[in-house]
Amino acid sequence: MSATEASPAEKGVMQIESFIGFAKRNGGLIALIAIILFNIAFTPNFLHPQTFFVNISQVATIAVVAVGMTLVIATGGIDLSVGAVMALAGALAPLIFTSSFAEAYPMLGLAAAFVVPVLVALLCGLFNGSLVSFLNVQPIIATLILFISGRGIAQVLTNGNLQTFSHKGFSYLGTGKILGLPFQGWLVIAIACLIWWLVHRSLFGRYLLAIGGNETAARLAGAPVRRVKIGAYVLCAGLAGIAGLIVVAINSASDAARIGNLMELDAIAAAVVGGALLQGGRAPIFGAILGAIIIQLVKYTLLANGVADEVALVAKAGIIIAAVYLQQGRKE
């Protein structure tokens, strides 16, 4: 053995370090493969098409909100109000398409049921972004305001009642299919591709990542910091509004007290698992989709194997801790 040749022990250490590095770079994908293999082996009917469709429907809302949350996290912020915004949008839609206006003008009423809730959600994002950008309120505090009040407004609008309905046009958002796959799955793909293009191919995206990486340097370089930050919160809230409509359309019912409940936790977890850094500067859009799928499959796996729903919250916390640990390795 030459002086420069590594000993068998050193080669073993190098291989272990190489494997750890690979795991850190591809932790999300490895976790997804492990969960799928576990379900194939132990979960009854996991490969049944109906199970596939149910998981697509369930993961769609998490994925849509997680993509928006990734944009906010990329600026170094956080949005705790996404669940409340979902409840607000979800409460408004049935009120609109069951109104006397919608009865008189069905097509206009249906269009308004999609457009108005999303516009209201965008205004919520504008409110959050303005607090963060102009008043320098900490993001967690700024979004806490709507986290508390948004769901209350939704419950006031509906008098706290469960709204049930039967409307084929609106329900297509949650129950329609294209080429045999749920419509909301295609919607998630379209949104992810659009936001990916926005982040990686537009000036807004470059500013977004620059501001998250070093806000002071970005400002000195001429980046419109306030406008970009507001844009991130507006997009996040708008996507939360769309997610709220999907939930209502799937259930053919609107319960302001339950729509989007704890969605902020799922969205943050999905974004972090997908590779977003809480310090900002990264916006892995398709990583957020991967994180959402992992979060959904963890919940499904636990429930399908008879584990209490509450345990899923503990599992999610464990996933977040593991993801943050891996991110620290990437940052270093």
Side-chain angles (χ1 to χ4, degrees):
M1 184 174 69
S2 67
T4 58
E5 186 177 353
S7 66
E10 290 173 333
K11 287 182 178 178
V13 172
M14 291 170 62
Q15 288 175 346
I16 292 174
E17 289 177 345
S18 176
F19 175 77
I20 293 174
F22 176 80
K24 286 183 175 180
R25 291 191 300 274
N26 303 279
L29 193 58
I30 293 172
L32 178 62
I33 293 172
I35 295 170
I36 291 174
L37 291 177
F38 177 88
N39 279 294
I40 291 174
F42 298 105
T43 304
N45 301 318
F46 178 72
L47 295 178
H48 195 282
Q50 189 62 30
T51 302
F52 179 65
F53 294 150
V54 167
N55 276 305
I56 287 180
S57 296
Q58 295 294 324
V59 78
T61 52
I62 302 174
V64 170
V65 181
V67 167
M69 186 67 76
T70 300
L71 295 178
V72 172
I73 290 176
T75 68
I78 203 85
D79 190 344
L80 297 183
S81 68
V82 289
V85 173
M86 285 179 64
L88 189 55
L92 280 172
L95 290 176
I96 294 172
F97 65 67
T98 58
S99 65
S100 55
F101 171 79
E103 290 179 359
Y105 307 98
M107 293 306 295
L108 285 177
L110 179 60
F114 287 116
V115 173
V116 174
V118 174
L119 288 177
V120 171
L122 294 174
L123 288 175
C124 291
L126 181 63
F127 175 76
N128 287 335
S130 298
L131 288 179
V132 172
S133 300
F134 288 103
L135 301 182
N136 293 322
V137 179
Q138 288 291 324
I140 195 170
I141 302 300
T143 56
L144 190 63
I145 296 171
L146 273 179
F147 172 83
I148 296 170
S149 62
R151 191 175 300 279
I153 295 170
Q155 289 180 292
V156 168
L157 290 172
T158 60
N159 292 320
N161 296 325
L162 172 69
Q163 302 178 88
T164 59
F165 58 86
S166 176
H167 193 295
K168 289 184 179 178
F170 185 81
S171 294
Y172 185 84
L173 180 61
T175 59
K177 290 185 178 179
I178 297 178
L179 300 176
L181 294 176
F183 174 76
Q184 61 267 40
W186 294 107
L187 183 62
V188 169
I189 294 173
I191 289 173
C193 291
L194 178 63
I195 299 298
W196 181 90
W197 180 88
L198 192 67
V199 170
H200 295 281
R201 293 290 184 271
S202 74
L203 192 58
F204 171 83
R206 293 177 184 175
Y207 284 146
L208 182 86
L209 300 180
I211 291 168
N214 189 326
E215 183 174 330
T216 302
R219 181 179 287 108
L220 292 174
V225 176
R226 287 176 174 170
R227 278 186 287 164
V228 172
K229 278 189 170 183
I230 290 174
Y233 282 94
V234 167
L235 285 172
C236 181
L239 292 174
I242 292 173
L245 297 182
I246 293 174
V247 172
V248 172
I250 290 174
N251 298 321
S252 292
S254 174
D255 185 354
R258 295 176 61 85
I259 297 174
N261 195 24
L262 296 180
M263 180 55 77
E264 53 282 341
L265 173 63
D266 284 344
I268 294 170
V272 172
V273 170
L277 292 172
L278 293 176
Q279 299 93 329
R282 283 171 55 94
I285 301 303
F286 289 103
I289 303 294
L290 176 65
I293 294 172
I294 292 173
I295 295 295
Q296 168 58 26
L297 283 182
V298 167
K299 284 197 295 186
Y300 172 81
T301 302
L302 294 174
L303 293 174
N305 288 279
V307 180
D309 191 30
E310 291 76 8
V311 178
L313 297 175
V314 180
K316 274 189 269 185
I319 291 172
I320 294 172
I321 292 172
V324 170
Y325 168 74
L326 291 174
Q327 286 180 11
Q328 291 302 319
R330 291 177 193 153
K331 189 120 179 130
E332 291 166 2

